[in-house]
Amino acid sequence: MKSLRMYPSSINEKYLDDVVETLREGGVIIYPTDTLYAFGCDALNNNAIERLCKIKGMNPQKQTLSIVCDGISMASEYAKIDNEAFRILRANLPGPFTFILPAATTLPKVFKGRKEVGIRVPDNEIARAIASKLGHPVLSTSVPLGDEVSVDPQAVAYDYSEMATLLVDGGEGDIIPSTIVDITDSRNPEIVREGKGVLG
């Protein structure tokens, strides 16, 4: 697995180009977020999504798939965001949350029949820069935690070297996942999983 060391405070544009090229070619990457390291692929590439779901043992027909966006504007192209949902997103993003929203019809066919999509705008410059450079979201799912107290990206790369093409090493990761909040009914937000984020 190819490894690229990137710093949130000074993102290497050449490395970023390499990452985005890998995604556009249908590859799976491992990259940092503001919580756990994550597997990622091009969220508009059906073959890549199916490959990533197989890696994680996910059934896209039964599990809510999450996408990482560079901001609320990008998210609004792929999820239905009413005024109250927008207020909640604006108050809490970027941040360690996955907000479940009604899915828009612009998502690829693997989402068809799925009424919901998870939206992430991580408080991590690298993750947002990848989505921004790609021009649309990155399908994202957390890398399972091993026995390490903290997440060493090189250890993650070693454990999952057969599953991904490229590692974006953004330094040590967190061990607490995102807080999942269902705002499909935006007037009655429901916390599905307690995590790192505290709703503002």
Side-chain angles (χ1 to χ4, degrees):
M1 182 192 298
K2 186 176 181 181
S3 177
L4 301 175
R5 182 74 167 100
M6 293 176 78
Y7 299 89
S9 58
S10 176
I11 293 174
N12 184 313
E13 288 296 324
K14 184 184 180 308
Y15 286 178
L16 191 59
D17 287 342
D18 288 350
V19 174
V20 169
E21 185 179 352
T22 298
L23 291 171
R24 287 186 176 140
E25 290 174 350
V28 172
I29 66 169
I30 294 173
Y31 70 109
T33 72
D34 52 356
T35 57
L36 310 176
Y37 266 78
F39 290 112
C41 73
D42 183 338
L44 301 188
N45 183 321
N46 279 300
N47 290 336
I49 292 170
E50 287 168 4
R51 182 179 165 209
L52 181 49
C53 287
K54 187 179 279 190
I55 286 170
K56 270 296 289 280
M58 298 190 308
N59 182 341
Q61 300 308 313
K62 294 184 177 177
Q63 291 170 267
T64 299
L65 300 177
S66 294
I67 57 174
V68 163
C69 301
D70 66 357
I72 298 172
S73 178
M74 180 183 285
S76 69
E77 297 177 43
Y78 301 95
K80 297 172 184 172
I81 302 173
D82 62 23
N83 290 339
E84 184 60 22
F86 179 78
R87 186 196 66 75
I88 294 168
L89 296 181
R90 191 174 59 182
N92 293 282
L93 297 177
F97 294 92
T98 301
F99 287 103
I100 299 173
L101 284 154
T105 55
T106 43
L107 288 163
K109 68 179 182 183
V110 76
F111 285 86
K112 292 295 181 270
R114 301 293 300 154
K115 295 183 172 63
E116 301 165 351
V117 62
I119 296 292
R120 287 272 279 130
V121 182
D123 188 13
N124 180 287
E125 297 287 347
I126 296 170
R128 296 202 310 276
I130 292 170
S132 179
K133 190 82 171 180
L134 182 62
H136 54 257
V138 177
L139 189 88
S140 190
T141 177
S142 297
V143 172
L145 276 175
D147 297 328
E148 303 87 359
V149 174
S150 60
V151 180
D152 174 358
Q154 294 301 326
V156 169
Y158 180 81
D159 288 342
Y160 298 102
S161 60
E162 302 299 313
M163 299 179 183
T165 309
L166 185 149
L167 165 74
V168 180
D169 180 347
E172 196 170 273
D174 208 324
I175 58 169
I176 304 171
S178 65
T179 295
I180 300 176
V181 187
D182 186 336
I183 53 171
T184 48
D185 176 0
S186 60
R187 300 200 174 278
N188 294 290
E190 181 184 344
I191 295 177
V192 177
R193 180 183 72 194
E194 295 277 3
K196 190 176 178 182
V198 178
L199 272 179

